[in-house]
Amino acid sequence: MSQENTSSIIVVGKLGAPYGIKGWLKVHSFTDDPVGIFDFSPWLIGQQGKWQSLEVVDWRRHNKGFIAKFAQVNDRDEAMAYTHAEISMDAAHLPELPQGEFYWRDLIGMSVVTDKGYSLGIVDDLMETGSNDVLVVKANSKDAFGQAERLIPFLTDSVIKEVKYDAREITVDWDPGF
């Protein structure tokens, strides 16, 4: 994989310290289901802007986290070289989602428009709350309601009316004054 084409790479975890003397490393998973990080291999390991492919040959739970063994790493010294490196994957390898479900990264940058046609701005980020996800919408610079940012709950049917994937637009039932 070339270093220039990193736009489709997403970070899914991080390697920790070596474990034992046979090349195992601690693994910190950032995936919704922490075990899901092991559903794909090889992993792209990133250090100082360079990416290397490592194949996971074994893994297991350890305390509150995980440890993993790679085909190319056979002792503690080799494992040390990967300490704190990012674990990534190519977005092309993400599983297809059922109709109506989206990866957060796909929603960032989409325009948000009310069902009455008012442009609320662009999705800048998403937050997870206890009850539902929330769109963080960066308002347009000349927002008529003086808003810089809006927090809109991602509640399908009641607030989120339609996600037009190809048009990169989300239609919402939302009061622009909020």
Side-chain angles (χ1 to χ4, degrees):
M1 162 166 278
S2 72
Q3 288 169 231
E4 295 80 44
N5 184 22
T6 57
S7 61
S8 66
I9 291 177
I10 48 175
V11 176
V12 293
K14 189 173 184 179
L15 291 172
Y19 177 81
I21 59 171
K22 297 191 173 165
W24 287 73
L25 282 145
K26 292 180 180 169
V27 174
H28 306 284
S29 175
F30 302 159
T31 56
D32 274 353
D33 173 12
V35 177
I37 196 169
F38 299 104
D39 287 347
F40 56 92
S41 181
W43 289 350
L44 295 174
I45 305 299
Q47 293 177 299
Q48 286 99 39
K50 292 187 171 55
W51 298 93
Q52 179 183 354
S53 184
L54 288 183
E55 183 186 348
V56 179
V57 290
D58 198 6
W59 68 273
R60 60 179 167 255
R61 291 184 182 276
H62 178 70
N63 295 333
K64 291 183 179 160
F66 304 97
I67 55 174
K69 173 76 176 81
F70 301 100
Q72 305 90 321
V73 182
N74 297 304
D75 64 41
R76 189 175 182 86
D77 290 341
E78 289 176 12
M80 284 293 287
Y82 297 102
T83 302
H84 305 304
E86 290 182 331
I87 303 166
S88 303
M89 66 178 285
D90 191 320
H93 297 124
L94 286 172
E96 286 286 317
L97 291 175
Q99 185 71 34
E101 288 189 24
F102 307 92
Y103 286 109
W104 277 14
R105 64 179 194 85
D106 294 336
L107 300 175
I108 292 176
M110 283 191 174
S111 299
V112 181
V113 180
T114 69
D115 50 2
K116 306 204 178 20
Y118 184 83
S119 174
L120 296 173
I122 304 289
V123 178
D124 190 45
D125 198 4
L126 286 104
M127 296 186 315
E128 202 170 348
T129 66
S131 53
N132 55 273
D133 296 334
V134 174
L135 295 173
V136 179
V137 179
K138 187 173 174 42
N140 303 311
S141 59
K142 295 183 175 84
D143 187 82
F145 295 87
Q147 301 288 342
E149 182 180 85
R150 291 180 175 89
L151 302 178
I152 302 174
F154 198 89
L155 298 170
T156 47
D157 299 332
S158 62
V159 176
I160 306 297
K161 293 303 179 187
E162 185 179 10
V163 177
K164 297 179 197 145
Y165 198 81
D166 294 334
R168 309 271 310 134
E169 185 178 273
I170 301 170
T171 305
V172 296
D173 179 1
W174 195 253
D175 179 349
F178 267 37

